[in-house]
Amino acid sequence: GGNSMTNEERNLLSSDPYPGLRPYHEDEQDKFFGRDADAEVLIDKVLTNRLTLLFAASGVGKSSLLQAAVIPRLKSPTGENLEVVYHIDWVSEPVSSVRAAVLQVLHTSGKLPEGAADEAGETLAELLEFCGLFVRHPLVLILDQFEEFFRYQRASANFQSFIEQLTAIITNPQLPVSLVLSMREDFALEL
């Protein structure tokens, strides 16, 4: 009959494309659509600038845009073929958690030789410079929900150290890094 559904159509209906309040994830890029222009603009900025600030109101989908549209294209072997570190945990001590995230991405992709991390230097800038030896440039470091850093770390002993290490990354044009800070626009003045 004219209204019999294909299996593909049935699957599309049964897997709800909307995740609700949580952001879309990287493996849901096929369900995330309608933001191609935003993604293209952001990817272009990431590739042409060492620092990109993504400000938008809460709930407009910054994390979804990054995870489901921008990151897959940056990582795709048929796209930019770059290593992308996505960091969103601001409760943990920031220097060591960002460091761990960078190392995990490079280990998972097989780019970093076993045991190489021992030579990766003390600071984040030294780590990123070292990792630059093994990856296609730039290494993209995305710090998402960055307002949470201020919320959780402002009173901690780690606050100033992380700010100084981040500043060292931003102000060193030799580092093969593209840094993206994504945060709610009402926290932009925190920067």
PDB file of all heavy atoms in Angstrom, residues 21 37 47 54 63 65 90-91 94 105 112 119 142 158 162 169 174 179 181 189:
ATOM      1  N   LEU A  21      17.015  17.858  27.439  1.00  0.00           N
ATOM      2  CA  LEU A  21      17.796  18.980  27.968  1.00  0.00           C
ATOM      3  C   LEU A  21      19.297  18.797  27.850  1.00  0.00           C
ATOM      4  O   LEU A  21      20.041  19.754  27.895  1.00  0.00           O
ATOM      5  CB  LEU A  21      17.431  19.221  29.436  1.00  0.00           C
ATOM      6  CG  LEU A  21      16.025  19.789  29.651  1.00  0.00           C
ATOM      7  CD1 LEU A  21      15.715  19.888  31.130  1.00  0.00           C
ATOM      8  CD2 LEU A  21      15.870  21.148  28.987  1.00  0.00           C
ATOM      9  N   ALA A  37      25.365  26.305   8.863  1.00  0.00           N
ATOM     10  CA  ALA A  37      26.016  27.604   8.672  1.00  0.00           C
ATOM     11  C   ALA A  37      26.806  27.997   9.916  1.00  0.00           C
ATOM     12  O   ALA A  37      27.948  28.462   9.830  1.00  0.00           O
ATOM     13  CB  ALA A  37      24.977  28.675   8.338  1.00  0.00           C
ATOM     14  N   LEU A  47      40.036  27.287  12.605  1.00  0.00           N
ATOM     15  CA  LEU A  47      41.178  26.993  11.739  1.00  0.00           C
ATOM     16  C   LEU A  47      42.027  28.230  11.437  1.00  0.00           C
ATOM     17  O   LEU A  47      43.200  28.094  11.087  1.00  0.00           O
ATOM     18  CB  LEU A  47      40.692  26.370  10.424  1.00  0.00           C
ATOM     19  CG  LEU A  47      40.015  25.006  10.563  1.00  0.00           C
ATOM     20  CD1 LEU A  47      39.478  24.540   9.227  1.00  0.00           C
ATOM     21  CD2 LEU A  47      40.973  23.974  11.147  1.00  0.00           C
ATOM     22  N   LEU A  54      33.485  31.571  22.140  1.00  0.00           N
ATOM     23  CA  LEU A  54      32.109  31.287  21.743  1.00  0.00           C
ATOM     24  C   LEU A  54      31.205  31.682  22.907  1.00  0.00           C
ATOM     25  O   LEU A  54      31.178  31.008  23.936  1.00  0.00           O
ATOM     26  CB  LEU A  54      31.950  29.806  21.405  1.00  0.00           C
ATOM     27  CG  LEU A  54      30.546  29.292  21.103  1.00  0.00           C
ATOM     28  CD1 LEU A  54      29.935  30.031  19.918  1.00  0.00           C
ATOM     29  CD2 LEU A  54      30.568  27.797  20.845  1.00  0.00           C
ATOM     30  N   SER A  63      27.050  23.539  23.365  1.00  0.00           N
ATOM     31  CA  SER A  63      27.687  22.223  23.511  1.00  0.00           C
ATOM     32  C   SER A  63      27.265  21.274  22.402  1.00  0.00           C
ATOM     33  O   SER A  63      28.074  20.517  21.871  1.00  0.00           O
ATOM     34  CB  SER A  63      27.360  21.623  24.886  1.00  0.00           C
ATOM     35  OG  SER A  63      27.928  22.416  25.913  1.00  0.00           O
ATOM     36  N   LEU A  65      26.278  22.149  19.357  1.00  0.00           N
ATOM     37  CA  LEU A  65      26.924  22.612  18.127  1.00  0.00           C
ATOM     38  C   LEU A  65      28.364  22.108  18.079  1.00  0.00           C
ATOM     39  O   LEU A  65      28.829  21.602  17.055  1.00  0.00           O
ATOM     40  CB  LEU A  65      26.886  24.143  18.057  1.00  0.00           C
ATOM     41  CG  LEU A  65      27.553  24.783  16.838  1.00  0.00           C
ATOM     42  CD1 LEU A  65      26.795  24.435  15.569  1.00  0.00           C
ATOM     43  CD2 LEU A  65      27.618  26.305  17.008  1.00  0.00           C
ATOM     44  N   TRP A  90      34.958  20.950  35.144  1.00  0.00           N
ATOM     45  CA  TRP A  90      35.582  22.062  35.879  1.00  0.00           C
ATOM     46  C   TRP A  90      35.527  21.873  37.384  1.00  0.00           C
ATOM     47  O   TRP A  90      35.916  22.752  38.137  1.00  0.00           O
ATOM     48  CB  TRP A  90      34.943  23.390  35.455  1.00  0.00           C
ATOM     49  CG  TRP A  90      35.188  23.609  33.998  1.00  0.00           C
ATOM     50  CD1 TRP A  90      34.282  23.560  32.989  1.00  0.00           C
ATOM     51  CD2 TRP A  90      36.449  23.836  33.379  1.00  0.00           C
ATOM     52  NE1 TRP A  90      34.896  23.741  31.773  1.00  0.00           N
ATOM     53  CE2 TRP A  90      36.232  23.915  31.986  1.00  0.00           C
ATOM     54  CE3 TRP A  90      37.771  23.977  33.860  1.00  0.00           C
ATOM     55  CZ2 TRP A  90      37.262  24.139  31.071  1.00  0.00           C
ATOM     56  CZ3 TRP A  90      38.783  24.190  32.954  1.00  0.00           C
ATOM     57  CH2 TRP A  90      38.537  24.266  31.584  1.00  0.00           C
ATOM     58  N   VAL A  91      35.029  20.706  37.817  1.00  0.00           N
ATOM     59  CA  VAL A  91      35.007  20.408  39.243  1.00  0.00           C
ATOM     60  C   VAL A  91      36.386  19.913  39.682  1.00  0.00           C
ATOM     61  O   VAL A  91      36.887  20.263  40.737  1.00  0.00           O
ATOM     62  CB  VAL A  91      33.916  19.361  39.565  1.00  0.00           C
ATOM     63  CG1 VAL A  91      33.916  19.030  41.041  1.00  0.00           C
ATOM     64  CG2 VAL A  91      32.545  19.888  39.137  1.00  0.00           C
ATOM     65  N   PRO A  94      41.958  21.798  37.542  1.00  0.00           N
ATOM     66  CA  PRO A  94      41.928  22.041  36.096  1.00  0.00           C
ATOM     67  C   PRO A  94      43.203  21.701  35.331  1.00  0.00           C
ATOM     68  O   PRO A  94      43.115  21.161  34.222  1.00  0.00           O
ATOM     69  CB  PRO A  94      41.591  23.529  35.978  1.00  0.00           C
ATOM     70  CG  PRO A  94      41.832  24.125  37.313  1.00  0.00           C
ATOM     71  CD  PRO A  94      41.737  23.031  38.318  1.00  0.00           C
ATOM     72  N   VAL A 105      43.267  11.713  24.523  1.00  0.00           N
ATOM     73  CA  VAL A 105      42.913  11.831  23.104  1.00  0.00           C
ATOM     74  C   VAL A 105      44.049  11.309  22.231  1.00  0.00           C
ATOM     75  O   VAL A 105      43.834  10.552  21.290  1.00  0.00           O
ATOM     76  CB  VAL A 105      42.570  13.296  22.749  1.00  0.00           C
ATOM     77  CG1 VAL A 105      42.578  13.511  21.237  1.00  0.00           C
ATOM     78  CG2 VAL A 105      41.213  13.676  23.325  1.00  0.00           C
ATOM     79  N   LEU A 112      50.330   9.209  20.165  1.00  0.00           N
ATOM     80  CA  LEU A 112      51.397   9.385  21.152  1.00  0.00           C
ATOM     81  C   LEU A 112      52.006   8.024  21.469  1.00  0.00           C
ATOM     82  O   LEU A 112      51.308   7.114  21.888  1.00  0.00           O
ATOM     83  CB  LEU A 112      50.817  10.019  22.425  1.00  0.00           C
ATOM     84  CG  LEU A 112      51.767  10.827  23.293  1.00  0.00           C
ATOM     85  CD1 LEU A 112      52.369  11.989  22.514  1.00  0.00           C
ATOM     86  CD2 LEU A 112      51.037  11.358  24.515  1.00  0.00           C
ATOM     87  N   GLU A 119      57.792  12.517  29.020  1.00  0.00           N
ATOM     88  CA  GLU A 119      58.672  13.595  28.547  1.00  0.00           C
ATOM     89  C   GLU A 119      57.895  14.855  28.198  1.00  0.00           C
ATOM     90  O   GLU A 119      58.421  15.772  27.592  1.00  0.00           O
ATOM     91  CB  GLU A 119      59.430  13.127  27.297  1.00  0.00           C
ATOM     92  CG  GLU A 119      60.203  11.839  27.483  1.00  0.00           C
ATOM     93  CD  GLU A 119      60.516  11.198  26.140  1.00  0.00           C
ATOM     94  OE1 GLU A 119      60.879  11.932  25.210  1.00  0.00           O
ATOM     95  OE2 GLU A 119      60.402   9.962  26.036  1.00  0.00           O
ATOM     96  N   ILE A 142      39.248  22.448  23.117  1.00  0.00           N
ATOM     97  CA  ILE A 142      37.962  23.103  23.374  1.00  0.00           C
ATOM     98  C   ILE A 142      37.651  23.029  24.862  1.00  0.00           C
ATOM     99  O   ILE A 142      37.530  21.939  25.426  1.00  0.00           O
ATOM    100  CB  ILE A 142      36.832  22.434  22.568  1.00  0.00           C
ATOM    101  CG1 ILE A 142      37.118  22.543  21.062  1.00  0.00           C
ATOM    102  CG2 ILE A 142      35.474  23.050  22.914  1.00  0.00           C
ATOM    103  CD1 ILE A 142      36.129  21.787  20.190  1.00  0.00           C
ATOM    104  N   ASN A 158      44.007  26.358  42.957  1.00  0.00           N
ATOM    105  CA  ASN A 158      44.364  26.039  41.566  1.00  0.00           C
ATOM    106  C   ASN A 158      43.993  27.152  40.587  1.00  0.00           C
ATOM    107  O   ASN A 158      44.403  27.117  39.436  1.00  0.00           O
ATOM    108  CB  ASN A 158      43.621  24.769  41.119  1.00  0.00           C
ATOM    109  CG  ASN A 158      43.774  23.644  42.111  1.00  0.00           C
ATOM    110  OD1 ASN A 158      44.875  23.365  42.550  1.00  0.00           O
ATOM    111  ND2 ASN A 158      42.674  23.017  42.487  1.00  0.00           N
ATOM    112  N   PHE A 162      46.014  27.881  36.950  1.00  0.00           N
ATOM    113  CA  PHE A 162      45.398  27.537  35.668  1.00  0.00           C
ATOM    114  C   PHE A 162      45.319  28.765  34.763  1.00  0.00           C
ATOM    115  O   PHE A 162      45.607  28.679  33.571  1.00  0.00           O
ATOM    116  CB  PHE A 162      44.011  26.926  35.871  1.00  0.00           C
ATOM    117  CG  PHE A 162      43.398  26.436  34.589  1.00  0.00           C
ATOM    118  CD1 PHE A 162      43.865  25.282  33.984  1.00  0.00           C
ATOM    119  CD2 PHE A 162      42.372  27.137  33.981  1.00  0.00           C
ATOM    120  CE1 PHE A 162      43.319  24.828  32.785  1.00  0.00           C
ATOM    121  CE2 PHE A 162      41.811  26.691  32.784  1.00  0.00           C
ATOM    122  CZ  PHE A 162      42.288  25.528  32.192  1.00  0.00           C
ATOM    123  N   ILE A 169      49.567  29.680  27.084  1.00  0.00           N
ATOM    124  CA  ILE A 169      49.164  29.045  25.824  1.00  0.00           C
ATOM    125  C   ILE A 169      48.705  30.108  24.826  1.00  0.00           C
ATOM    126  O   ILE A 169      49.124  30.137  23.673  1.00  0.00           O
ATOM    127  CB  ILE A 169      48.031  28.017  26.066  1.00  0.00           C
ATOM    128  CG1 ILE A 169      48.543  26.849  26.909  1.00  0.00           C
ATOM    129  CG2 ILE A 169      47.458  27.524  24.742  1.00  0.00           C
ATOM    130  CD1 ILE A 169      47.449  25.944  27.447  1.00  0.00           C
ATOM    131  N   GLN A 174      53.993  30.348  18.946  1.00  0.00           N
ATOM    132  CA  GLN A 174      54.698  29.174  18.414  1.00  0.00           C
ATOM    133  C   GLN A 174      53.937  27.871  18.670  1.00  0.00           C
ATOM    134  O   GLN A 174      54.199  26.865  18.016  1.00  0.00           O
ATOM    135  CB  GLN A 174      56.092  29.049  19.057  1.00  0.00           C
ATOM    136  CG  GLN A 174      56.963  30.293  18.924  1.00  0.00           C
ATOM    137  CD  GLN A 174      57.069  30.771  17.491  1.00  0.00           C
ATOM    138  OE1 GLN A 174      57.310  29.977  16.592  1.00  0.00           O
ATOM    139  NE2 GLN A 174      56.859  32.062  17.273  1.00  0.00           N
ATOM    140  N   LEU A 179      42.734  27.216  20.396  1.00  0.00           N
ATOM    141  CA  LEU A 179      42.015  27.140  21.661  1.00  0.00           C
ATOM    142  C   LEU A 179      40.622  27.728  21.491  1.00  0.00           C
ATOM    143  O   LEU A 179      40.457  28.808  20.928  1.00  0.00           O
ATOM    144  CB  LEU A 179      42.796  27.916  22.729  1.00  0.00           C
ATOM    145  CG  LEU A 179      42.248  27.956  24.144  1.00  0.00           C
ATOM    146  CD1 LEU A 179      42.212  26.562  24.759  1.00  0.00           C
ATOM    147  CD2 LEU A 179      43.091  28.890  25.011  1.00  0.00           C
ATOM    148  N   LEU A 181      37.266  28.742  23.751  1.00  0.00           N
ATOM    149  CA  LEU A 181      36.606  28.898  25.050  1.00  0.00           C
ATOM    150  C   LEU A 181      35.127  29.121  24.783  1.00  0.00           C
ATOM    151  O   LEU A 181      34.747  30.080  24.105  1.00  0.00           O
ATOM    152  CB  LEU A 181      37.159  30.092  25.821  1.00  0.00           C
ATOM    153  CG  LEU A 181      38.646  30.093  26.172  1.00  0.00           C
ATOM    154  CD1 LEU A 181      39.001  31.346  26.953  1.00  0.00           C
ATOM    155  CD2 LEU A 181      39.016  28.860  26.975  1.00  0.00           C
ATOM    156  N   LEU A 189      32.117  38.661  31.154  1.00  0.00           N
ATOM    157  CA  LEU A 189      32.940  39.645  31.857  1.00  0.00           C
ATOM    158  C   LEU A 189      33.920  38.986  32.828  1.00  0.00           C
ATOM    159  O   LEU A 189      34.893  39.626  33.230  1.00  0.00           O
ATOM    160  CB  LEU A 189      32.047  40.649  32.603  1.00  0.00           C
ATOM    161  CG  LEU A 189      31.275  41.605  31.686  1.00  0.00           C
ATOM    162  CD1 LEU A 189      30.340  42.485  32.504  1.00  0.00           C
ATOM    163  CD2 LEU A 189      32.231  42.472  30.879  1.00  0.00           C
TER     164      LEU A 189
END
